[in-house]
Amino acid sequence: MSKYEPATRPTLYFIGVTTSKSSIMKVFPAWAEYLGLKDAVIKGMDFKLHDDPVAYREAVAFIRDDPMSMGALVTTHKIDLFAACKDMFDVIDPHARLMDETSCISKIDGKLICHAKDPISSGLSIDGFLGENYFAETGADLFSMGAGGSTIALTWHLMRRSRGTNVPGRIIVSNRSQHRLDEIRRIHAQVETDVPIEYVLAPKPEDNDAVLPTLKPGSLVINATGLGKDAPGSPLSNACVFPKKAVAWDLNYRGDLIFLDQARSQEAKRDLKIVDGWTYFLHGWTQVIAEVFHIDIPTSGPSFDQISEIALKAAGR
């Protein structure tokens, strides 16, 4: 018998760690009204980091079998949930199959579908704040700390040969555990690219600090670890020194955001550009809402600007 209660209204689930703290709980009702999603609601499902596979399977089975459960957005558990549940999906999209992750669960015509939306949402975010041809014009590197689903997605977006010369001069991925580095290396090997890639085992913040001096000016430095939101802290120590003119991007927009504080302390001296995860949040959620409720949501233009304004107001930002 499932521990989950059947939904009485069209329900989107948020599978995460501390879902009640997310702005989406305030934003979704406002979006639902604007988008015409009558009576739709959102509900959190919290799991421990790297939870028991049985727990993930129970949640996915409930969503699959409950008529009013429309689907889900998956954050921190993207890779673990996919590993535990991939045999439960009727359809797995090409991005999800390549990246071995689930960021979105939807249903259509009685079929349970697994999507990886991060390649799209991270690409929209990056290209939005960097602008066109950033890497072609600067020759900058990319350093992403954390080898989980977000880094898999954003490196895939930036490293593809189809981008021509607008690719990082070098990609460096670090992680606290070796097995995640081995997994992202395996996935990268399937992507057509000419970009040199380095994998750094970084169990301590000082290990990430040591990478920063090797980066070119203007490099994109990303906190994709979850530290600052899912767990306290930063992947860097307070002794770190960012490259000049670097772009410091934290995929988080809430939490203690120590990584952003570290960047802000050097903003003037190192001429940094600092970006939090708010736009990534917007694209991530709108991509999933469009898929789960089978509606079209623009990714730019006046309508997307209106969606952004609604979110800012609802979240009190």
Side-chain angles (χ1 to χ4, degrees):
M1 184 176 178
S2 174
K3 68 179 182 181
Y4 299 106
E5 296 183 1
T8 58
R9 299 165 63 182
T11 302
L12 170 64
Y13 293 92
F14 176 15
I15 297 175
V17 178
T18 55
T19 57
S20 64
K21 297 180 181 179
S22 174
S23 293
I24 195 61
M25 296 306 186
K26 298 176 181 177
V27 170
F28 182 81
W31 275 351
E33 181 178 357
Y34 175 75
L35 295 168
L37 301 175
K38 185 178 179 181
D39 297 329
V41 296
I42 189 167
K43 188 171 183 179
M45 289 182 170
D46 286 352
F47 295 89
K48 297 180 293 185
L49 295 173
H50 310 303
D51 212 330
D52 188 333
V54 173
Y56 296 127
R57 291 183 68 84
E58 184 178 8
V60 171
F62 167 74
I63 294 169
R64 178 193 65 199
D65 299 334
D66 183 58
M68 296 298 283
S69 295
M70 309 305 291
L73 178 141
V74 185
T75 53
T76 309
H77 310 282
K78 292 187 285 274
I79 292 174
D80 292 328
L81 187 143
F82 183 84
C85 305
K86 59 185 173 182
D87 64 300
M88 300 175 70
F89 296 108
D90 300 300
V91 179
I92 299 174
D93 81 10
H95 286 152
R97 195 171 294 281
L98 171 65
M99 299 175 189
D100 286 344
E101 69 164 57
T102 306
S103 64
C104 172
I105 300 169
S106 73
K107 299 193 292 188
I108 189 169
D109 297 332
K111 294 181 178 180
L112 188 70
I113 306 173
C114 167
H115 311 264
K117 291 294 184 182
D118 277 0
I120 301 168
S121 55
S122 63
L124 289 167
S125 301
I126 291 170
D127 293 342
F129 66 73
L130 288 184
E132 295 183 3
N133 296 317
Y134 180 81
F135 290 102
E137 292 170 358
T138 65
D141 299 323
L142 165 66
F143 177 33
S144 190
M145 294 170 283
S150 296
T151 292
I152 292 170
L154 64 90
T155 53
W156 173 87
H157 174 74
L158 291 173
M159 70 193 286
R160 292 167 296 145
R161 191 174 291 156
S162 60
R163 286 176 62 91
T165 59
N166 191 30
V167 294
R170 183 173 55 129
I171 291 174
I172 306 96
V173 176
S174 72
N175 201 74
R176 291 188 292 187
S177 61
Q178 184 63 46
H179 76 96
R180 288 290 199 216
L181 291 175
D182 294 340
E183 181 62 12
I184 196 171
R185 185 195 296 267
R186 180 190 68 79
I187 293 168
H188 282 163
Q190 301 175 60
V191 182
E192 290 188 357
T193 185
D194 299 313
V195 179
I197 309 173
E198 300 172 21
Y199 304 91
V200 176
L201 183 62
K204 304 187 301 296
E206 290 76 13
D207 299 317
N208 288 318
D209 291 357
V211 175
L212 297 179
T214 73
L215 302 175
K216 295 174 185 173
S219 290
L220 177 57
V221 180
I222 304 173
N223 174 25
T225 64
L227 290 175
K229 178 174 75 73
D230 296 328
S234 166
L236 297 170
S237 82
N238 287 333
C240 71
V241 179
F242 284 86
K244 288 187 175 181
K245 298 185 180 298
V247 180
W249 185 27
D250 197 328
L251 299 191
N252 304 319
Y253 73 91
R254 63 180 175 90
D256 58 25
L257 302 180
I258 291 175
F259 170 82
L260 289 184
D261 289 339
Q262 291 168 329
R264 289 186 184 108
S265 72
Q266 302 177 38
E267 183 174 6
K269 185 176 181 180
R270 307 296 290 174
D271 194 15
L272 306 182
K273 179 175 182 176
I274 299 173
V275 184
D276 71 9
W278 181 251
T279 302
Y280 184 52
F281 164 88
L282 295 179
H283 285 300
W285 275 102
T286 52
Q287 288 289 312
V288 169
I289 291 168
E291 195 71 61
V292 168
F293 291 99
H294 311 295
I295 59 174
D296 291 324
I297 301 178
T299 58
S300 62
S303 185
F304 184 79
D305 292 342
Q306 181 65 28
I307 287 170
S308 178
E309 286 299 317
I310 290 169
L312 287 168
K313 184 177 179 180
R317 284 177 62 91

